[in-house]
């Protein structure tokens, strides 16, 4: 909400499917899905990560005003390192599944991280002790 308000101040933002007909201007931010992101391997405990996909749509009394809102959001997202704008448009099957008419939109990916505290392992305070054992054949 804060990001959309910074790009398009004073415009209503809803976090659900946008209405089919509306007399005022608005922005729809609908969560399409949540996908886990594989954790990077390393010496430290990696954070948990997920990728959120949002369908962004706009509406207004006049189509031109809705298009301008969408363009402003598109350029605002391209200039924001926290977002990844998907190059492909929403397939027709998605609009059918949502029971909506296809409309101009964009899809944003937002990566969310949950930092986990590092485990405090005790320090080794004694020298290594090696014990020799006889070699045997394992059958």
């Amino acid at each position: 909400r804060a990001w959309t308000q910074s790009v398009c101040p004073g415009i209503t933002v809803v976090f659900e499917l946008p209405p089919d007909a509306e007399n005022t201007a608005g922005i729809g931010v609908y969560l399409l899905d949540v996908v886990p992101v594989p954790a990077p391997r390393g010496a430290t405990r990696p954070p948990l990560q997920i990728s959120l996909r949002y369908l962004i749509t706009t509406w207004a009394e006049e189509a031109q005003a809705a298009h301008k809102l969408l363009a402003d959001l598109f350029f605002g997202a391209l200039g924001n390192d926290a977002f990844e704008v998907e190059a492909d448009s929403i397939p027709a099957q998605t609009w059918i599944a949502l029971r909506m008419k296809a409309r101009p939109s964009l899809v944003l990916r937002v990566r969310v991280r949950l930092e986990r505290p590092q485990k405090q392992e005790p320090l080794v305070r004694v020298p290594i002790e090696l014990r020799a054992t006889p070699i045997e054949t394992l059958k």
Side-chain angles (χ1 to χ4, degrees), residues 54-134:
Y54 286 99
L55 173 65
I56 310 295
T57 56
T58 58
W59 63 90
E61 290 182 49
E62 296 179 11
Q64 184 177 357
H67 295 177
K68 182 181 181 331
L69 283 174
L70 189 62
D72 291 345
L73 290 167
F74 206 113
F75 287 121
L78 289 174
N80 190 326
D81 292 336
F83 302 136
E84 177 185 334
V85 179
E86 290 188 5
D88 297 331
S89 60
I90 292 292
Q93 295 85 353
T94 302
W95 293 110
I96 292 169
L98 295 174
R99 296 188 174 122
M100 294 182 61
K101 293 187 297 185
R103 59 173 64 191
S105 62
L106 67 108
V107 176
L108 290 182
R109 281 188 185 269
V110 181
R111 190 168 284 193
V112 179
R113 295 171 53 118
L114 176 63
E115 298 293 337
R116 299 188 295 173
Q118 297 298 319
K119 291 182 180 178
Q120 295 296 329
E121 299 296 335
L123 296 175
V124 177
R125 299 196 184 271
V126 295
I128 295 176
E129 183 179 318
L130 300 175
R131 294 183 187 163
T133 58

Side-chain angles (χ1 to χ4, degrees), residues 135-139:
I135 297 177
E136 297 182 18
T137 304
L138 180 66
K139 292 183 182 180

Side-chain angles (χ1 to χ4, degrees), residues 33-37 49-53 84 109-112:
D33 60 8
V34 179
V35 181
V37 176
Q49 297 184 68
I50 57 175
S51 180
L52 307 174
R53 289 182 66 230
E84 177 185 334
R109 281 188 185 269
V110 181
R111 190 168 284 193
V112 179

